[in-house]
Amino acid sequence: MPIKGKVGAVYLFETAPHSFDTEPEKLEQVGGIFLWEMDLEEVYGYSFGRTPNLYGVTTGWYVVARAFWGDRRLFDGVGETAFMRLFIEPGPRMGCLQGYIIIPELAGEENKINEQTIYLKGIGKPKIGGVS
């Protein structure tokens, strides 16, 4: 079942992290997305013990957005790794899902809202985050 939200932010970073499980230290926003849906790719299986248990393992994730904006760095960053925050909680806490993505080929104008659907492929597993 997809998770839906209204806005998200795309960031580039100076130094690649040692692991996709950590947040980059220095982020610079280069774009944003609007009206997004995130879904997980999972593999399911059973484990058998005293009782059989169904389990799921996340193998990937992706985001589909209906509109986006970006500056020149986002448009020039095709194929590069970026960091994304998908805001799910309004208010001062601004809870989010966050993780790494590959910047796709983008058509449109820089520094304007482009009303076209884009597909963003996640790397690793998304994490729960928040800006205090």
Side-chain angles (χ1 to χ4, degrees), residues 2-8 32-38 63-69 84 86 106-107 112-120:
I3 299 168
K4 296 180 181 185
K6 293 183 180 177
V7 296
I33 62 169
F34 304 97
L35 301 174
W36 56 265
E37 285 189 19
M38 179 187 132
V63 174
V64 177
R66 291 192 193 168
F68 75 96
W69 73 269
M84 172 179 278
L86 302 168
L106 299 168
K112 292 192 177 182
I113 294 176
N114 296 280
E115 293 186 36
Q116 58 183 291
T117 301
I118 61 170
Y119 176 89
L120 304 161

Side-chain angles (χ1 to χ4, degrees), residues 20 30 37 43 71 74-75 77 120 130:
F20 290 125
V30 296
E37 285 189 19
V43 173
D71 65 17
L74 182 67
F75 282 88
L120 304 161

Side-chain angles (χ1 to χ4, degrees), residues 4 7-8 13 28 32 41-42 53 56 71 76 84 90 96 102 108 111 116 118 125 131:
K4 296 180 181 185
V7 296
F13 43 87
E28 189 168 347
E41 296 168 348
E42 296 180 305
N53 292 313
D71 65 17
D76 289 345
M84 172 179 278
C96 64
I102 300 293
N111 298 317
Q116 58 183 291
I118 61 170
K125 294 181 182 177
V131 179

Side-chain angles (χ1 to χ4, degrees), residues 90-94 131-132:
R93 186 166 180 278
M94 296 178 69
V131 179
S132 299

Side-chain angles (χ1 to χ4, degrees), residues 1-130:
M1 174 176 229
I3 299 168
K4 296 180 181 185
K6 293 183 180 177
V7 296
V10 179
Y11 305 88
L12 290 179
F13 43 87
E14 286 184 7
T15 308
H18 299 295
S19 162
F20 290 125
D21 291 329
T22 61
E23 183 176 327
E25 289 183 21
K26 213 170 183 188
L27 296 171
E28 189 168 347
Q29 188 171 359
V30 296
I33 62 169
F34 304 97
L35 301 174
W36 56 265
E37 285 189 19
M38 179 187 132
D39 212 344
L40 300 175
E41 296 168 348
E42 296 180 305
V43 173
Y44 294 96
Y46 287 96
S47 62
F48 297 96
R50 290 186 173 159
T51 59
N53 292 313
L54 174 66
Y55 65 90
V57 175
T58 301
T59 58
W61 59 283
Y62 61 91
V63 174
V64 177
R66 291 192 193 168
F68 75 96
W69 73 269
D71 65 17
R72 174 55 36 206
R73 296 168 295 174
L74 182 67
F75 282 88
D76 289 345
V78 174
E80 289 186 32
T81 301
F83 190 75
M84 172 179 278
R85 285 190 174 124
L86 302 168
F87 297 104
I88 55 176
E89 187 176 297
R93 186 166 180 278
M94 296 178 69
C96 64
L97 296 169
Q98 59 188 30
Y100 293 89
I101 59 163
I102 300 293
I103 298 174
E105 184 79 34
L106 299 168
E109 295 182 57
E110 61 184 78
N111 298 317
K112 292 192 177 182
I113 294 176
N114 296 280
E115 293 186 36
Q116 58 183 291
T117 301
I118 61 170
Y119 176 89
L120 304 161
K121 178 76 175 133
I123 302 171
K125 294 181 182 177
K127 306 283 184 207
I128 295 173

